[in-house]
Amino acid sequence: MFGRLHSHWTAVTRRWRRWWTLRLPQSDTLTLTQRNCYILPTASGWMLALTLLVLLVASINFQLNLGYLLTFLLAGSAIVSVHLCHGTLRGLQLRLLQPEPQFLGARAALQVQLHSATASVRYGIAVAVRGSQAAQWAWTDVPGQGSAMVELSFQPTRRGLQTVPTLRLETRYPLGTFRVWALWRPAAQVMVYPRPETPAPPLPQAEAQQTGAGAAQARGGVEFDGVRAYRRGDPLRLVVWKKAARSLATGNADLVSRDAQQSRRQGLWLDHGATGLQQPEERLSRLAAWVLQADRLGVDYGLRLPGQQIAPDHGPAHRRRCLEALALS
């Protein structure tokens, strides 16, 4: 009976939280006002209220002036703490920096900037992902007319574009008798790449390819693999002087250089169908590991996925493009 009531209460609470969360507007910036800051007494606050009630009754019964003084002094302090506690969050400006992509299985980092336009320091502000444990709260003080940065993290549960979870801000400054909190629903998304296979097998065999512009040519008894437009800094021995002489004779000053490396570039293709695995997620994990391995080696590589093909290239932008294709496939 108790277990059924507990599960029913848990379901009602979950529905209430989901309904309340959906009412929050999505934005990467937020200014806390009295409309989105909430305050309630803590357990210490309720105990203080009970203590004050006992002191007041005892003071009335025994006509203790010192009891009256202590009761009203404590009550006044508690009332002032309500104003200070609420003012610690009220007026605070928040901004979420665009989170960096992350691999599945790792924690995605979130950086939140807190800015205060007032001259007073705001003490004891905690930020956390909603539903996280107390040990995962990030605490900070925000200086007057200054900013502070806190870093949070959460665990993505699947690859692809992930919505940043709802964040929660809280303070109990100064007495701990009241708790002021606010909920924040960011609009940013995190790109989650597939989990790289560990350990991954060696890269597949590269495929030799000939580019059209750089096909092997033989002219005047001198063989060279390919030509391209002259680039500033090219060694003179790479310049095709016969072709340059003909160009100068015709009034064209364009020079060309031999480009053997480009014409015989080895094309490394990371093929979705050549991973040797059956499960789709395992294939993506192996391809992700191969992309990282090829990027570390600095070789050109291409990616073949069902319905999509990325031409061979190298560099951080190409690596990111391949990983995003794997994440969204």
mmCIF file of all heavy atoms in Angstrom, residues 30-56:
data_model
loop_
_atom_site.group_PDB
_atom_site.id
_atom_site.type_symbol
_atom_site.label_atom_id
_atom_site.label_comp_id
_atom_site.label_asym_id
_atom_site.label_seq_id
_atom_site.Cartn_x
_atom_site.Cartn_y
_atom_site.Cartn_z
ATOM 1 N N LEU A 30 19.502 35.181 -19.223
ATOM 2 C CA LEU A 30 18.376 35.298 -18.284
ATOM 3 C C LEU A 30 18.719 36.354 -17.244
ATOM 4 O O LEU A 30 19.840 36.397 -16.732
ATOM 5 C CB LEU A 30 18.112 33.952 -17.598
ATOM 6 C CG LEU A 30 17.002 33.942 -16.557
ATOM 7 C CD1 LEU A 30 15.641 34.175 -17.213
ATOM 8 C CD2 LEU A 30 16.986 32.631 -15.784
ATOM 9 N N THR A 31 17.745 37.198 -16.959
ATOM 10 C CA THR A 31 17.861 38.165 -15.869
ATOM 11 C C THR A 31 16.865 37.770 -14.787
ATOM 12 O O THR A 31 15.665 37.644 -15.057
ATOM 13 C CB THR A 31 17.565 39.591 -16.363
ATOM 14 O OG1 THR A 31 18.506 39.937 -17.383
ATOM 15 C CG2 THR A 31 17.684 40.593 -15.225
ATOM 16 N N LEU A 32 17.379 37.577 -13.587
ATOM 17 C CA LEU A 32 16.530 37.124 -12.483
ATOM 18 C C LEU A 32 15.784 38.319 -11.896
ATOM 19 O O LEU A 32 16.402 39.338 -11.553
ATOM 20 C CB LEU A 32 17.384 36.445 -11.411
ATOM 21 C CG LEU A 32 18.145 35.213 -11.887
ATOM 22 C CD1 LEU A 32 18.944 34.602 -10.743
ATOM 23 C CD2 LEU A 32 17.187 34.176 -12.465
ATOM 24 N N THR A 33 14.490 38.182 -11.805
ATOM 25 C CA THR A 33 13.638 39.220 -11.226
ATOM 26 C C THR A 33 12.745 38.577 -10.174
ATOM 27 O O THR A 33 12.826 37.366 -9.915
ATOM 28 C CB THR A 33 12.773 39.889 -12.309
ATOM 29 O OG1 THR A 33 11.875 38.910 -12.849
ATOM 30 C CG2 THR A 33 13.640 40.431 -13.444
ATOM 31 N N GLN A 34 11.878 39.402 -9.598
ATOM 32 C CA GLN A 34 10.972 38.845 -8.590
ATOM 33 C C GLN A 34 9.909 37.937 -9.205
ATOM 34 O O GLN A 34 9.199 37.249 -8.496
ATOM 35 C CB GLN A 34 10.295 39.980 -7.835
ATOM 36 C CG GLN A 34 9.479 40.912 -8.715
ATOM 37 C CD GLN A 34 8.922 42.084 -7.939
ATOM 38 O OE1 GLN A 34 9.242 42.246 -6.772
ATOM 39 N NE2 GLN A 34 8.091 42.881 -8.585
ATOM 40 N N ARG A 35 9.831 37.931 -10.555
ATOM 41 C CA ARG A 35 8.853 37.064 -11.217
ATOM 42 C C ARG A 35 9.371 35.646 -11.415
ATOM 43 O O ARG A 35 8.581 34.723 -11.618
ATOM 44 C CB ARG A 35 8.474 37.658 -12.587
ATOM 45 C CG ARG A 35 7.786 38.995 -12.504
ATOM 46 C CD ARG A 35 7.512 39.540 -13.896
ATOM 47 N NE ARG A 35 6.669 38.629 -14.663
ATOM 48 C CZ ARG A 35 5.353 38.632 -14.649
ATOM 49 N NH1 ARG A 35 4.716 39.509 -13.894
ATOM 50 N NH2 ARG A 35 4.674 37.795 -15.386
ATOM 51 N N ASN A 36 10.706 35.459 -11.409
ATOM 52 C CA ASN A 36 11.237 34.105 -11.613
ATOM 53 C C ASN A 36 12.148 33.655 -10.485
ATOM 54 O O ASN A 36 12.890 32.693 -10.637
ATOM 55 C CB ASN A 36 11.978 34.011 -12.952
ATOM 56 C CG ASN A 36 13.000 35.118 -13.137
ATOM 57 O OD1 ASN A 36 13.420 35.734 -12.160
ATOM 58 N ND2 ASN A 36 13.400 35.358 -14.366
ATOM 59 N N CYS A 37 12.133 34.368 -9.349
ATOM 60 C CA CYS A 37 12.855 33.947 -8.143
ATOM 61 C C CYS A 37 11.836 33.541 -7.082
ATOM 62 O O CYS A 37 10.859 34.268 -6.844
ATOM 63 C CB CYS A 37 13.733 35.083 -7.612
ATOM 64 S SG CYS A 37 15.199 35.405 -8.587
ATOM 65 N N TYR A 38 12.061 32.428 -6.449
ATOM 66 C CA TYR A 38 11.108 31.886 -5.472
ATOM 67 C C TYR A 38 11.821 31.721 -4.134
ATOM 68 O O TYR A 38 13.030 31.477 -4.078
ATOM 69 C CB TYR A 38 10.564 30.546 -5.954
ATOM 70 C CG TYR A 38 10.113 30.587 -7.397
ATOM 71 C CD1 TYR A 38 10.950 30.119 -8.412
ATOM 72 C CD2 TYR A 38 8.892 31.132 -7.761
ATOM 73 C CE1 TYR A 38 10.555 30.175 -9.743
ATOM 74 C CE2 TYR A 38 8.496 31.202 -9.090
ATOM 75 C CZ TYR A 38 9.331 30.721 -10.070
ATOM 76 O OH TYR A 38 8.949 30.800 -11.381
ATOM 77 N N ILE A 39 11.078 31.837 -3.054
ATOM 78 C CA ILE A 39 11.680 31.786 -1.720
ATOM 79 C C ILE A 39 10.789 30.980 -0.800
ATOM 80 O O ILE A 39 9.549 31.092 -0.838
ATOM 81 C CB ILE A 39 11.915 33.214 -1.176
ATOM 82 C CG1 ILE A 39 12.613 33.151 0.174
ATOM 83 C CG2 ILE A 39 10.618 34.005 -1.093
ATOM 84 C CD1 ILE A 39 13.105 34.510 0.638
ATOM 85 N N LEU A 40 11.431 30.139 0.004
ATOM 86 C CA LEU A 40 10.742 29.338 1.003
ATOM 87 C C LEU A 40 11.673 29.149 2.199
ATOM 88 O O LEU A 40 12.898 29.172 2.036
ATOM 89 C CB LEU A 40 10.350 27.963 0.457
ATOM 90 C CG LEU A 40 9.073 27.876 -0.383
ATOM 91 C CD1 LEU A 40 8.881 26.464 -0.903
ATOM 92 C CD2 LEU A 40 7.849 28.318 0.426
ATOM 93 N N PRO A 41 11.125 28.927 3.401
ATOM 94 C CA PRO A 41 11.994 28.655 4.558
ATOM 95 C C PRO A 41 12.670 27.298 4.413
ATOM 96 O O PRO A 41 12.118 26.358 3.837
ATOM 97 C CB PRO A 41 11.031 28.681 5.740
ATOM 98 C CG PRO A 41 9.799 29.360 5.247
ATOM 99 C CD PRO A 41 9.714 29.062 3.784
ATOM 100 N N THR A 42 13.874 27.215 4.948
ATOM 101 C CA THR A 42 14.561 25.927 5.013
ATOM 102 C C THR A 42 14.164 25.212 6.305
ATOM 103 O O THR A 42 13.379 25.735 7.115
ATOM 104 C CB THR A 42 16.075 26.148 4.974
ATOM 105 O OG1 THR A 42 16.457 26.919 6.131
ATOM 106 C CG2 THR A 42 16.485 26.918 3.716
ATOM 107 N N ALA A 43 14.707 24.038 6.526
ATOM 108 C CA ALA A 43 14.440 23.312 7.769
ATOM 109 C C ALA A 43 14.938 24.120 8.972
ATOM 110 O O ALA A 43 14.280 24.156 10.035
ATOM 111 C CB ALA A 43 15.115 21.941 7.723
ATOM 112 N N SER A 44 16.081 24.775 8.801
ATOM 113 C CA SER A 44 16.594 25.640 9.870
ATOM 114 C C SER A 44 15.648 26.811 10.115
ATOM 115 O O SER A 44 15.461 27.250 11.265
ATOM 116 C CB SER A 44 17.983 26.161 9.490
ATOM 117 O OG SER A 44 18.873 25.088 9.281
ATOM 118 N N GLY A 45 15.049 27.316 9.054
ATOM 119 C CA GLY A 45 14.102 28.414 9.203
ATOM 120 C C GLY A 45 12.868 27.998 9.982
ATOM 121 O O GLY A 45 12.364 28.751 10.828
ATOM 122 N N TRP A 46 12.361 26.804 9.676
ATOM 123 C CA TRP A 46 11.190 26.323 10.427
ATOM 124 C C TRP A 46 11.539 26.108 11.909
ATOM 125 O O TRP A 46 10.726 26.386 12.794
ATOM 126 C CB TRP A 46 10.672 25.029 9.810
ATOM 127 C CG TRP A 46 9.979 25.231 8.493
ATOM 128 C CD1 TRP A 46 10.373 24.779 7.282
ATOM 129 C CD2 TRP A 46 8.751 25.929 8.276
ATOM 130 N NE1 TRP A 46 9.493 25.159 6.301
ATOM 131 C CE2 TRP A 46 8.479 25.872 6.891
ATOM 132 C CE3 TRP A 46 7.871 26.628 9.107
ATOM 133 C CZ2 TRP A 46 7.358 26.467 6.327
ATOM 134 C CZ3 TRP A 46 6.740 27.218 8.545
ATOM 135 C CH2 TRP A 46 6.500 27.141 7.161
ATOM 136 N N MET A 47 12.732 25.610 12.181
ATOM 137 C CA MET A 47 13.149 25.418 13.584
ATOM 138 C C MET A 47 13.288 26.768 14.284
ATOM 139 O O MET A 47 12.941 26.902 15.468
ATOM 140 C CB MET A 47 14.480 24.663 13.625
ATOM 141 C CG MET A 47 14.367 23.191 13.284
ATOM 142 S SD MET A 47 13.255 22.317 14.420
ATOM 143 C CE MET A 47 14.061 22.605 15.990
ATOM 144 N N LEU A 48 13.792 27.764 13.561
ATOM 145 C CA LEU A 48 13.897 29.102 14.150
ATOM 146 C C LEU A 48 12.512 29.667 14.452
ATOM 147 O O LEU A 48 12.287 30.270 15.511
ATOM 148 C CB LEU A 48 14.652 30.032 13.196
ATOM 149 C CG LEU A 48 14.777 31.487 13.656
ATOM 150 C CD1 LEU A 48 15.565 31.575 14.958
ATOM 151 C CD2 LEU A 48 15.423 32.349 12.573
ATOM 152 N N ALA A 49 11.571 29.435 13.545
ATOM 153 C CA ALA A 49 10.201 29.909 13.784
ATOM 154 C C ALA A 49 9.594 29.229 15.000
ATOM 155 O O ALA A 49 8.911 29.879 15.823
ATOM 156 C CB ALA A 49 9.353 29.651 12.537
ATOM 157 N N LEU A 50 9.838 27.938 15.154
ATOM 158 C CA LEU A 50 9.309 27.222 16.325
ATOM 159 C C LEU A 50 9.948 27.743 17.610
ATOM 160 O O LEU A 50 9.273 27.918 18.641
ATOM 161 C CB LEU A 50 9.570 25.724 16.152
ATOM 162 C CG LEU A 50 9.080 24.824 17.281
ATOM 163 C CD1 LEU A 50 7.554 24.931 17.436
ATOM 164 C CD2 LEU A 50 9.485 23.362 17.026
ATOM 165 N N THR A 51 11.237 27.990 17.534
ATOM 166 C CA THR A 51 11.944 28.517 18.715
ATOM 167 C C THR A 51 11.406 29.894 19.104
ATOM 168 O O THR A 51 11.195 30.194 20.289
ATOM 169 C CB THR A 51 13.450 28.603 18.412
ATOM 170 O OG1 THR A 51 13.929 27.312 18.038
ATOM 171 C CG2 THR A 51 14.215 29.104 19.620
ATOM 172 N N LEU A 52 11.189 30.728 18.114
ATOM 173 C CA LEU A 52 10.643 32.068 18.402
ATOM 174 C C LEU A 52 9.248 31.973 19.004
ATOM 175 O O LEU A 52 8.894 32.765 19.899
ATOM 176 C CB LEU A 52 10.617 32.900 17.108
ATOM 177 C CG LEU A 52 11.977 33.294 16.539
ATOM 178 C CD1 LEU A 52 11.809 34.050 15.221
ATOM 179 C CD2 LEU A 52 12.746 34.144 17.540
ATOM 180 N N LEU A 53 8.458 31.019 18.515
ATOM 181 C CA LEU A 53 7.115 30.852 19.074
ATOM 182 C C LEU A 53 7.177 30.437 20.540
ATOM 183 O O LEU A 53 6.439 30.968 21.387
ATOM 184 C CB LEU A 53 6.351 29.820 18.248
ATOM 185 C CG LEU A 53 4.925 29.522 18.701
ATOM 186 C CD1 LEU A 53 4.065 30.803 18.621
ATOM 187 C CD2 LEU A 53 4.303 28.420 17.871
ATOM 188 N N VAL A 54 8.081 29.513 20.855
ATOM 189 C CA VAL A 54 8.225 29.070 22.248
ATOM 190 C C VAL A 54 8.710 30.223 23.131
ATOM 191 O O VAL A 54 8.218 30.429 24.260
ATOM 192 C CB VAL A 54 9.201 27.877 22.303
ATOM 193 C CG1 VAL A 54 9.514 27.513 23.760
ATOM 194 C CG2 VAL A 54 8.611 26.670 21.575
ATOM 195 N N LEU A 55 9.676 30.979 22.598
ATOM 196 C CA LEU A 55 10.182 32.136 23.372
ATOM 197 C C LEU A 55 9.088 33.159 23.618
ATOM 198 O O LEU A 55 8.979 33.736 24.706
ATOM 199 C CB LEU A 55 11.345 32.775 22.603
ATOM 200 C CG LEU A 55 12.709 32.095 22.717
ATOM 201 C CD1 LEU A 55 13.718 32.790 21.814
ATOM 202 C CD2 LEU A 55 13.191 32.114 24.165
ATOM 203 N N LEU A 56 8.254 33.379 22.595
ATOM 204 C CA LEU A 56 7.184 34.375 22.745
ATOM 205 C C LEU A 56 6.151 33.930 23.779
ATOM 206 O O LEU A 56 5.719 34.725 24.629
ATOM 207 C CB LEU A 56 6.516 34.605 21.384
ATOM 208 C CG LEU A 56 5.391 35.633 21.363
ATOM 209 C CD1 LEU A 56 5.916 37.015 21.770
ATOM 210 C CD2 LEU A 56 4.745 35.695 19.988
#
